[in-house]
Amino acid sequence: MSRRALRRLRGEQRGQQEPGLGELGPAAGPESGQQRPEGAERGRSGVSNRFELITSEEPEDDLPSKEERAVTRLKEHNVAERNDEESVPEETEADGQRNGEEAERPDQTVTQLQPVLSSKPRKKKKKRKTKKASAGETLEDNDLEDIDSLLEKIEDANGILQETQSGVIADSRPLLYIEHRNLNPENELKRYFGARAVLGDQRPRQRQRQYVRSTWLTVPKNTWPRYSKTGIAMQLVETRRGVQYFTFEHHREYQQVQFKFLDAVESMDPNNIVLLLQMNPYHVDSLLQLSDVCRMQEDQEMARDLIERVLYSLECAFHPVFSLTSGSCRLDYRRPENRAFFLALFKHLMFLEKRGCPRTALEFCKLILSLDPENDPLCVLLMIDFLSLRAREYTFLTRMFQEWESHRNLSQLPNFAFSVPLAYFFLSQQEERSELELSQARERAARLIQLALIMFPSVLMPLLDHCSVQPDARVASHSFFGLNAQISQPPALNQLTSLYVGRTHSLWKDPAVMAWLETNVHEVLRMVDTRDPLVEESELKRKMRYQSAPRNIYRHVILSEMKEATAALPLEVTSQPVMGFDPLPPLDSIISYTRPERTNHPSNESTLSLFFRSLLPNFNLQGDVRHDGDDEAGAGQDLNQGVNRLMAAMRDMLANIQFQEPPRDDNPEGDGDWD
């Protein structure tokens, strides 16, 4: 027990004494004054604490007696833990304060003085303990607070809402701003079903997992192989006008695996890809190709799991400066190394949409568009309107149309021409908006849907057919929306309209939407009957434009797998083989490394050599081709080497042959056929 702890115990012991029981009093002052030098000498002898010299000058009235010291020693073990927590400055200050008060008021009794002196340090301790406890509780509350609420507060502080002249509230953040919390489908599912229903069974397993790297695009699973460096890296190519251009790079080891993958694809056997993945579990092209195989075999869960492994592998190779949320990072689709990231994001958002997470799928769609907004290699503009309507992000869709219409001509795409007025119609049905906003939304919806029906009349009848709605006699008999409108349109426009109708027809089945559409259809027929100049102008635009679709639209149709749009693909697209890891590569691709050519010369090989090559693909009777002119000198040596290879191949083949025993019959003497 330390001396300052004993001093503290002495003060408490003196504070517990009852008035009148102590032998000390005002009359004892002279006696104590006579004994002070002796006590001082005893205190100074053997002093180990310099602060003890201050307390040693106290009158003997303040010193405990031998009986009190004995009682104190008996109680030391009960209060040792509490006394050790007290700090040295606090005790020294308390002792000094007590000595000062005793010097100022010597006439007071000890029994009256001690409770006052002992209460002050106790109050300080209580306050400090309360502060510590409250600080600990605050930290615990902050740790247990949901991360979604924190991100919402940050986004509310950063994203300032501004009111435009039209009265519509607009967000000041960039159009393609990505929110990290919207990249996780579990956050969207928790809003629908609750956190307990979504994460109830996953929490214990996540705590047991080790060596997990935090990622935004996907969450690694316990069933995945342990991640190691795959040989993929990302490099910063250049920075222009505040935009950073990145590219993935394949190291030499990864290139060798890529060559093996191409050989496995040419073999047309998925088992070869499986064997390759066993040796290289995070080879991205193998995962993409095998995902398509699993999806064709109706194994959707495995197909989605393989795509998530691709995203995890590529995100682990990100450059430290590469940002998913800034919208200023670009990837060039012309480089084959970058295509896997585009394709994995697209296929992942398709799985998310089918899973019932349209808001998360919209965020991934914005991410793909932000990687190359000018070229849009996967043409996600053909589906971003559908995802916005599914996620009820009507303000985002209308804002995108207003900002991009001037330089991208979004109204010339059937999906934007019909989806934007539908978004305005849904905005006009929201009661929390002001009457001015509702009236403006209704007017814009009516005007834009009429322009869409005039520009693309071939959309109406297939749309009503998919919605199982029978048009009235006037619409069915009118030639403007009849069969002639579908036959006379160019093939490229037929692909766009078929894609839109097949994808978004479910959004038009609402009775209120159908009533609104019917009213505007009759208004369009009135304009057609009165020979409005806009009708003739739109017809000329349809004939001049949409002669042939660009390659990115064909790529989007192939990846979307919409039956209505796939049937309208031209012959030059359907006749060539389409690989899942690289569908319709760009014609102006930037190749960083090439696959080495095989040195096969089948014209010089004999029939026997071709036979053994069919059994053993690595067999080569001719050996390496000589490039020198000394053919006669090496003819005998080549013949000997060829014979040796042939004999080695024969021994290898015979060693691997296994004979099966014939099935035993009940009649051992009878002749049975072997299998």
Side-chain angles (χ1 to χ4, degrees):
M1 176 66 66
S2 62
R3 292 181 179 270
R4 63 174 178 272
L6 290 175
R7 289 199 306 272
R8 181 63 181 161
L9 287 174
R10 293 169 190 171
E12 293 182 355
Q13 186 67 28
R14 291 196 298 269
Q16 294 175 359
Q17 293 177 356
E18 298 180 359
L21 296 178
E23 298 176 358
L24 299 177
E31 295 178 0
S32 63
Q34 294 175 1
Q35 295 177 0
R36 185 187 303 173
E38 183 179 356
E41 292 176 2
R42 287 197 307 268
R44 288 186 178 90
S45 61
V47 174
S48 61
N49 189 353
R50 65 182 64 184
F51 296 103
E52 203 168 17
L53 297 175
I54 301 175
T55 59
S56 63
E57 295 179 359
E58 295 177 359
E60 192 176 352
D61 304 352
D62 297 337
L63 296 176
S65 62
K66 295 181 179 180
E67 296 178 356
E68 293 175 350
R69 292 177 183 174
V71 175
T72 302
R73 293 191 186 96
L74 293 176
K75 296 182 178 180
E76 283 182 354
H77 66 280
N78 295 329
V79 293
E81 295 180 356
R82 181 171 56 84
N83 293 328
D84 290 339
E85 295 178 355
E86 298 297 327
S87 60
V88 176
E90 293 177 2
E91 293 166 359
T92 307
E93 181 181 358
D95 294 338
Q97 185 176 2
R98 184 173 66 243
N99 296 334
E101 291 179 357
E102 289 175 357
E104 291 176 2
R105 295 180 295 177
D107 296 338
Q108 295 181 357
T109 59
V110 178
T111 56
Q112 294 176 351
L113 182 63
Q114 293 301 328
V116 178
L117 296 177
S118 60
S119 63
K120 290 184 179 180
R122 290 178 182 176
K123 289 183 179 179
K124 291 183 179 180
K125 287 193 297 181
K126 289 181 179 179
K127 290 181 179 178
R128 287 168 181 166
K129 288 182 179 179
T130 304
K131 291 180 180 179
K132 293 179 181 179
S134 61
E137 293 176 358
T138 304
L139 292 175
E140 291 179 358
D141 294 339
N142 291 336
D143 293 338
L144 297 176
E145 188 175 1
D146 191 7
I147 192 174
D148 294 341
S149 61
L150 295 176
L151 291 175
E152 288 176 359
K153 292 178 182 179
I154 296 174
E155 290 166 2
D156 292 341
N158 295 335
I160 303 174
L161 299 180
Q162 298 179 353
E163 186 173 357
T164 59
Q165 297 179 356
S166 60
V168 179
I169 301 298
D171 196 345
S172 63
R173 294 176 299 187
L175 179 65
L176 299 179
Y177 176 78
I178 309 297
E179 300 178 11
H180 276 148
R181 63 188 180 94
N182 290 330
L183 292 175
N184 189 356
E186 292 182 353
N187 295 333
E188 185 174 3
L189 293 176
K190 284 190 291 186
R191 290 196 295 268
Y192 297 153
F193 307 106
R196 181 173 298 179
V198 177
L199 300 177
D201 298 335
Q202 299 180 8
R203 289 174 181 172
R205 289 181 292 179
Q206 290 181 357
R207 292 173 184 172
Q208 295 175 1
R209 181 174 176 84
Q210 298 178 356
Y211 308 107
V212 177
R213 181 171 179 175
S214 178
T215 54
W216 290 110
L217 297 178
T218 184
V219 179
K221 300 179 181 178
N222 297 330
T223 57
W224 291 359
R226 185 173 179 178
Y227 178 80
S228 59
K229 291 185 178 180
T230 59
I232 301 180
M234 179 182 282
Q235 299 295 332
L236 177 61
V237 179
E238 60 178 348
T239 302
R240 294 197 310 263
R241 298 177 181 178
V243 179
Q244 298 172 329
Y245 294 85
F246 295 86
T247 182
F248 285 100
E249 291 183 352
H250 294 172
H251 295 167
R252 192 170 189 85
E253 296 80 7
Y254 191 89
Q255 294 179 11
Q256 300 299 324
V257 180
Q258 186 72 11
F259 298 151
K260 295 179 181 179
F261 164 73
L262 296 177
D263 294 339
V265 171
E266 291 180 355
S267 66
M268 305 299 291
D269 188 2
N271 294 325
N272 294 333
I273 302 178
V274 174
L275 295 176
L276 184 62
L277 281 176
Q278 291 179 356
M279 302 297 297
N280 306 275
Y282 286 96
H283 183 256
V284 292
D285 286 345
S286 299
L287 293 172
L288 288 174
Q289 189 70 22
L290 190 61
S291 176
D292 289 345
V293 175
C294 295
R295 186 172 44 80
M296 294 177 183
Q297 296 177 355
E298 301 299 331
D299 192 354
Q300 301 293 334
E301 188 67 25
M302 178 59 68
R304 186 182 67 184
D305 186 80
L306 295 175
I307 294 299
E308 292 179 357
R309 281 169 60 179
V310 175
L311 293 177
Y312 179 72
S313 176
L314 293 175
E315 187 173 0
C316 291
F318 278 177
H319 192 275
V321 186
F322 186 81
S323 175
L324 296 172
T325 60
S326 64
S328 60
C329 298
R330 303 287 186 264
L331 287 175
D332 194 351
Y333 192 81
R334 294 178 300 173
R335 297 180 179 271
E337 296 87 351
N338 299 335
R339 296 171 193 169
F341 189 54
F342 283 90
L343 296 173
L345 290 174
F346 189 91
K347 295 181 179 182
H348 186 58
L349 75 87
M350 294 292 292
F351 283 118
L352 290 173
E353 193 274 328
K354 295 178 181 178
R355 190 182 175 185
C357 301
R359 183 65 185 88
T360 310
L362 174 63
E363 210 69 12
F364 275 91
C365 190
K366 291 162 57 178
L367 176 58
I368 297 175
L369 188 59
S370 67
L371 295 176
D372 194 355
E374 298 298 331
N375 299 317
D376 192 12
L378 300 184
C379 205
V380 292
L381 283 176
L382 296 179
M383 68 182 309
I384 195 171
D385 60 303
F386 167 68
L387 297 175
S388 301
L389 294 174
R390 280 284 312 274
R392 298 182 180 180
E393 295 290 331
Y394 311 127
T395 306
F396 167 77
L397 181 58
T398 55
R399 179 192 174 190
M400 185 177 189
F401 182 76
Q402 293 173 2
E403 295 183 5
W404 285 25
E405 169 62 19
S406 59
H407 66 282
R408 299 295 293 268
N409 293 326
L410 297 181
S411 60
Q412 302 304 310
L413 294 175
N415 58 314
F416 272 93
F418 281 88
S419 294
V420 172
L422 184 59
Y424 276 115
F425 173 76
F426 287 134
L427 288 175
S428 66
Q429 303 298 313
Q430 296 179 354
E431 298 179 355
E432 63 271 12
R433 295 183 176 271
S434 63
E435 187 62 30
L436 177 61
E437 295 178 1
L438 296 179
S439 61
Q440 290 179 351
R442 283 192 294 267
E443 292 176 1
R444 292 181 180 180
R447 178 171 54 86
L448 292 177
I449 192 61
Q450 292 174 14
L451 293 177
L453 290 171
I454 293 174
M455 186 65 189
F456 306 104
S458 61
V459 175
L460 179 63
M461 299 307 292
L463 181 62
L464 296 178
D465 188 20
H466 279 75
C467 295
S468 302
V469 174
Q470 184 68 27
D472 57 10
R474 182 187 177 190
V475 177
S477 60
H478 205 285
S479 60
F480 186 74
F481 294 112
L483 185 61
N484 187 26
Q486 303 178 21
I487 297 176
S488 60
Q489 67 180 358
L493 182 58
N494 187 23
Q495 297 168 10
L496 296 177
T497 56
S498 301
L499 183 66
Y500 176 73
V501 171
R503 175 176 285 157
T504 62
H505 64 88
S506 59
L507 301 175
W508 294 82
K509 291 184 177 181
D510 190 1
V513 175
M514 277 296 168
W516 166 73
L517 179 62
E518 182 181 4
T519 303
N520 290 279
V521 166
H522 286 287
E523 181 63 23
V524 170
L525 290 180
R526 187 192 63 78
M527 297 173 62
V528 172
D529 294 338
T530 56
R531 298 186 181 276
D532 193 301
L534 183 60
V535 178
E536 184 178 357
E537 181 182 354
S538 300
E539 185 177 358
L540 292 176
K541 290 181 180 179
R542 287 196 303 271
K543 292 180 180 180
M544 294 177 60
R545 303 172 183 176
Y546 312 106
Q547 296 300 324
S548 61
R551 198 172 181 85
N552 60 343
I553 292 182
Y554 294 148
R555 196 178 295 119
H556 177 87
V557 172
I558 292 174
L559 292 174
S560 300
E561 296 183 351
M562 301 294 299
K563 296 181 180 180
E564 297 83 358
T566 306
L569 287 174
L571 184 60
E572 60 268 16
V573 176
T574 57
S575 60
Q576 57 181 325
V578 177
M579 298 298 176
F581 67 95
D582 190 9
L584 296 181
L587 301 178
D588 56 346
S589 299
I590 302 176
I591 306 299
S592 58
Y593 64 94
T594 57
R595 179 184 178 187
E597 297 181 358
R598 295 181 178 180
T599 57
N600 294 334
H601 303 277
S603 58
N604 298 330
E605 294 183 359
S606 61
T607 305
L608 184 62
S609 177
L610 294 175
F611 170 71
F612 283 106
R613 183 179 296 278
S614 63
L615 298 176
L616 303 172
N618 295 328
F619 171 73
N620 185 10
L621 180 61
Q622 300 294 333
D624 297 335
V625 179
R626 290 181 172 273
H627 298 281
D628 53 357
D630 195 3
D631 295 338
E632 296 179 357
Q637 184 178 0
D638 291 341
L639 181 60
N640 294 332
Q641 292 179 357
V643 172
N644 293 334
R645 292 193 185 94
L646 179 60
M647 297 301 297
M650 290 289 294
R651 286 193 297 269
D652 189 13
M653 184 181 65
L654 293 176
N656 294 330
I657 293 178
Q658 297 180 359
F659 295 96
Q660 296 182 357
E661 296 183 358
R664 295 184 178 181
D665 202 10
D666 295 338
N667 185 11
E669 297 179 357
D671 295 332
D673 296 335
W674 287 12
D675 293 336

